[in-house]
Amino acid sequence: MGTRLQTLMLLLLSFATNLAVSLATESGDYSKFHHNQSQHGLPTEQGNLHTEELLEANDSTRAQLYRRALIYLALGLVGLANRKRLSVAFTFAYNCFFKRLGHHDNQQGRLNAFYEGQATVYDATRGRLLRGRKTMLKLCAAELAHTVLAQAGTIGGSSGGGNGGKDGENGRPVWVDVGGGTGWNIEQMDEFFAIGNFKHVYLVDLCEPLCRVAQQRFKAKGWTNVTVVCMDAASFTLPGLATLEGAADLVTMSYSLSMVEDFYPVIDRLARILKPRTGIMGVADFYVSGTTEQRSFFKHKQTTDAVTAAADVAKPGKHRLGYHCNWFTRVFWQHWFEFDHVFLHPCRREYLENVFATHKVYNGRNHFVVPQLIQIPYYVWLGRRIPSDAVRDADSLAITTAGAAKKADAGICARKGWERLPYCPDRPEHAQFNTYIYAFTWEDPRCDLQALDLKPGDNLLVITSAGDNALAYAAHQRQITLHCVDMNPCQNHLLELKLASLRTLDYSQFWQLFGAGRADGFADILDSRLSPWLSSEAYQYWKNNTAAFGGAQGLGGWSLAKQSIGDMLLGQSGLYTTGYSGLALRSLHAMMRLTGIRDTAQKMTRQGMTLSEQTHLWRQRMRGWVRGALATWFLDNPVIMWQLLGVPINQWNMLRSEGSMSQYVRDTIEPVVAETSLADDNYFYHLVFALGYSRTCCPDYLTKQGFESLQQTLIDADSESGKPTFRLHTATILDVLAGMQPGELTKAVIMDHMDWFSMQDAQQEVSALARAMASGGIVLWRSAARLPWYSEVFEKNGFAVDAISVRQPNTTKPLDRVNMYASFYKATKL
């Protein structure tokens, strides 16, 4: 109450003072006029005239006075309404910028002096500055629920207040929050993983004023399993624990690693405290990158460097996405934070990632105060303790590059039903992609399945694309192995997201993501549900692209503006308007809107539309435009075809060699509209016109039956005796085939990608396929040409080639529901 009265009195005093000054000015001017009038003996009329002028001037002065009074009154009311915020701001500013700290012999004395006056407002003034803390806590909570509790069989609630751990103390995790300060982390964690589910939580911090705030916070919450330890991170002890070796299931450092002066022994000590294999180390902090990537920065760490060197392509590293900072960012922020004894030299993060095996990492930018102009680099990182057997094997150099990650991560992650093979994102063939080309697969799996005749035990090589067809094959025959290969990492990120969603979400949630292509809560689903099932690279990609599913959660500034514009132009935006294929759809819909046929196109996809009605709408409203000069020019442009549709110049030349582009458009679209229902069966063109699927017109994996079949397939592959159904290779087909044993494959579906090849490329790949393919095995492909030139290459390498179907000019029957290729072939290994 005292603070409120003081604030009110100061505001009223300010108002009264300004009012008095204004009144005095007005009175003084009027008195001065009368004095001058009598002194100079002015005539009465003239005096009256000047008097009127003066009165008008005084009226103006009064109006200004009233306006000023209203302004002061408004300021006073605003000040009263925001007195708490003003008090917090003044307290923060005084303690950070004006208060003299004096001389102190150690870090604890300096911290106590700095935070003594602002400990109670610490949380209120750091929210926008210390980004990534909630993300780190969500990821840690998801990992705990996925590993520790699952193994112990004591799954508890993920919301606050639960008791959890009903099966005994041994199955409940221990958490050590190092540099936990006021206890904000622990209070927030209760929203994601109930504090009652922990056996014990320890907050370790060197600053006494912050520890007092934490103690008061936990007392108010009534948490008896939380202990505040006011000690140095390099020497603390934990009450109730006989030994610290392997004692913690979770260790976190939230913006504290950068404040530890001698960080080497602290990181080493935390590695010993963490449980091997299952323990999680979580860090959120500022950072700056080095000038170059230095994976072996600490040569004295021979054991862990051996693992790091051997597993360079396998170990997720900080360089994956957004790690590198420009020169100004590196220099400015490093020196700026040093004024407050916060140290951002790259060696801290380098050492952390050398001691621990990186499990998840996200590199972000805090657009603090002024978006786009001020960008403070920060990172969220999760790691695990490197098992001693991996270190021993590394010392003897007895592990391979691909096996290094498995050794370092052995027994850590629960089996998932699929495996993402390690790759190096910095290799040119991968680094050239920053998004996927195809958000949906543009080949009909129904025809593939008829030709493949899948049997239990089949071993397939397929091109990933968007993963739709690989999922269709697995839904049709569960006991197979699929090698999904794509040079573009983002295509595998998309398939990995679908697999993780199959494994963790229910059907309605899965449908929202991949059927409707929109989910407002995707950012939270990603952190809280999907993250344990994703590779670090896939998690980073989707963390940076949460807007792909159309939700506004976490968006701001230009990203939100772009999404709003997309929604305005398209009626909606979502997964299927992203990537290069999404760019093509957006362009198509913009043209249809301009020409007035967009409503007709979407009407053709509505449930209940008969085939005759569909054909009538097509011929009356759309055929003229689609077969017109503009559409033909669009398809006849090789730059547009590559940038929007992913058709390379070699394949475009094959299209042109088969006839005019006008003829191609006619042969593609007319049979599809006449013979297939866009409302009930042809989900390819349904998606093109509706920008999403319907429950009655969607890929097999999006049906309820397909979802349940795939989910059970992944669960079965998750068993002790199971093996991964999906193996995701981010590599070229040649690289994958080179790693296979002779005769290992039984089937391969290579889509149309050989249309892209030169003769030398085709010879190399077909030769590799011949070596890896078992006798009687088959290879399927589609081509833009009716007689693809590389069929002879297959024949020369021991295959019998048969045309399954070839599209003839002016045909009325489509090859399949897509009908964009001129032919469909099968090669059988002799």
Side-chain angles (χ1 to χ4, degrees), residues 155-406:
I155 299 292
S158 58
S159 59
N163 291 325
K166 294 182 179 180
D167 294 332
E169 293 289 298
N170 292 333
R172 299 164 66 190
V174 172
W175 175 21
V176 181
D177 188 22
V178 180
T182 62
W184 183 92
N185 280 354
I186 295 173
E187 184 176 61
Q188 289 296 314
M189 175 64 94
D190 192 52
E191 297 181 13
F192 316 129
F193 190 96
I195 297 302
N197 279 335
F198 287 98
K199 179 180 180 180
H200 211 97
V201 179
Y202 296 93
L203 184 152
V204 180
D205 201 286
L206 191 59
C207 181
E208 294 175 354
L210 297 182
C211 287
R212 286 196 294 270
V213 173
Q215 288 171 334
Q216 294 169 3
R217 169 178 262 143
F218 301 148
K219 183 178 180 181
K221 291 287 185 180
W223 290 331
T224 58
N225 61 334
V226 182
T227 301
V228 177
V229 179
C230 192
M231 295 182 69
D232 193 334
S235 58
F236 66 86
T237 58
L238 301 179
L241 295 181
T243 178
L244 296 184
E245 182 71 26
D249 299 277
L250 174 64
V251 176
T252 55
M253 298 186 78
S254 175
Y255 287 90
S256 54
L257 178 58
S258 56
M259 298 184 69
V260 176
E261 292 182 335
D262 192 5
F263 63 92
Y264 295 103
V266 171
I267 292 176
D268 288 339
R269 191 163 189 263
L270 296 181
R272 293 192 298 271
I273 291 174
L274 196 66
K275 283 184 178 178
R277 302 186 185 280
T278 60
I280 293 290
M281 176 76 183
V283 177
D285 213 330
F286 301 118
Y287 84 97
V288 294
S289 66
T291 55
T292 58
E293 192 67 34
Q294 297 173 326
R295 299 301 302 164
S296 300
F297 189 88
F298 299 97
K299 295 298 183 181
H300 66 279
K301 293 293 293 183
Q302 294 295 331
T303 53
T304 52
D305 264 352
V307 174
T308 302
D312 185 49
V313 301
K315 179 178 177 182
K318 57 191 171 300
H319 61 292
R320 295 305 191 238
L321 283 174
Y323 167 71
H324 288 292
C325 308
N326 59 46
W327 176 86
F328 176 80
T329 299
R330 292 196 306 268
V331 174
F332 178 78
W333 290 118
Q334 184 172 340
H335 289 85
W336 174 270
F337 280 106
E338 281 182 2
F339 286 115
D340 291 327
H341 298 276
V342 176
F343 306 102
L344 306 189
H345 192 280
C347 61
R348 292 173 181 260
R349 185 172 172 182
E350 288 280 358
Y351 192 72
L352 177 73
E353 294 192 340
N354 273 270
V355 170
F356 293 92
T358 301
H359 184 60
K360 291 283 188 302
V361 62
Y362 169 70
N363 300 302
R365 298 294 183 270
N366 182 356
H367 301 284
F368 187 65
V369 181
V370 184
Q372 305 306 323
L373 182 60
I374 298 179
Q375 301 184 41
I376 310 175
Y378 73 93
Y379 69 104
V380 175
W381 178 91
L382 267 64
R384 297 184 187 270
R385 180 173 168 181
I386 297 176
S388 57
D389 58 342
V391 174
R392 286 194 301 271
D393 284 354
D395 286 339
S396 64
L397 301 179
I399 57 176
T400 64
T401 300
K406 296 180 182 179

Side-chain angles (χ1 to χ4, degrees), residues 553-788:
Q553 181 184 13
L555 293 183
W558 178 234
S559 298
L560 185 59
K562 285 194 296 183
Q563 181 174 302
S564 300
I565 293 171
D567 288 348
M568 180 177 64
L569 293 176
L570 299 177
Q572 70 177 61
S573 62
L575 175 65
Y576 298 112
T577 59
T578 61
Y580 282 71
S581 60
L583 179 59
L585 288 188
R586 293 198 300 271
S587 302
L588 174 64
H589 277 255
M591 288 192 293
M592 289 196 301
R593 183 182 287 272
L594 288 173
T595 53
I597 63 170
R598 185 168 183 262
D599 290 342
T600 301
Q602 294 190 332
K603 186 176 181 180
M604 292 168 63
T605 67
R606 292 174 187 167
Q607 192 169 2
M609 175 71 58
T610 65
L611 201 58
S612 60
E613 290 172 334
Q614 172 183 295
T615 305
H616 176 75
L617 284 173
W618 166 258
R619 291 174 178 172
Q620 292 295 317
R621 296 294 311 276
M622 294 190 65
R623 180 164 62 179
W625 178 83
V626 172
R627 296 179 62 180
L630 179 61
T632 302
W633 173 86
F634 183 89
L635 295 173
D636 210 21
N637 188 310
V639 176
I640 293 177
M641 290 289 280
W642 168 244
Q643 293 294 330
L644 297 185
L645 299 178
V647 177
I649 188 67
N650 286 353
Q651 191 172 46
W652 181 79
N653 287 329
M654 295 176 74
L655 282 172
R656 292 291 305 273
S657 67
E658 295 294 329
S660 69
M661 198 56 69
S662 176
Q663 181 70 39
Y664 171 78
V665 172
R666 185 260 166 230
D667 291 344
T668 298
I669 305 297
E670 292 283 349
V672 166
V673 175
E675 298 292 332
T676 67
S677 170
L678 275 60
D680 301 318
D681 182 48
N682 194 327
Y683 64 80
F684 301 97
Y685 289 93
H686 183 106
L687 174 66
V688 168
F689 293 145
L691 299 178
Y693 298 112
S694 72
R695 300 277 181 156
T696 59
C697 193
C698 60
D700 293 345
Y701 78 94
L702 284 172
T703 65
K704 184 70 177 295
Q705 181 181 356
F707 171 84
E708 291 174 348
S709 175
L710 285 167
Q711 194 171 63
Q712 189 59 50
T713 296
L714 296 177
I715 292 173
D716 292 344
D718 195 10
S719 65
E720 288 288 347
S721 58
K723 64 178 183 178
T725 300
F726 298 86
R727 292 173 61 85
L728 279 57
H729 304 261
T730 305
T732 65
I733 290 180
L734 276 177
D735 289 338
V736 175
L737 292 173
M740 290 185 171
Q741 297 297 319
E744 183 176 342
L745 285 178
T746 59
K747 311 280 172 61
V749 182
I750 58 175
M751 297 185 170
D752 64 331
H753 92 120
M754 292 198 72
D755 281 1
W756 304 24
F757 280 4
S758 66
M759 175 62 76
Q760 181 181 359
D761 294 332
Q763 177 59 45
Q764 288 179 334
E765 183 164 304
V766 174
S767 175
L769 278 168
R771 186 192 70 86
M773 188 65 64
S775 179
I778 62 173
V779 181
L780 300 182
W781 74 84
R782 289 175 171 83
S783 176
R786 286 188 283 273
L787 297 172

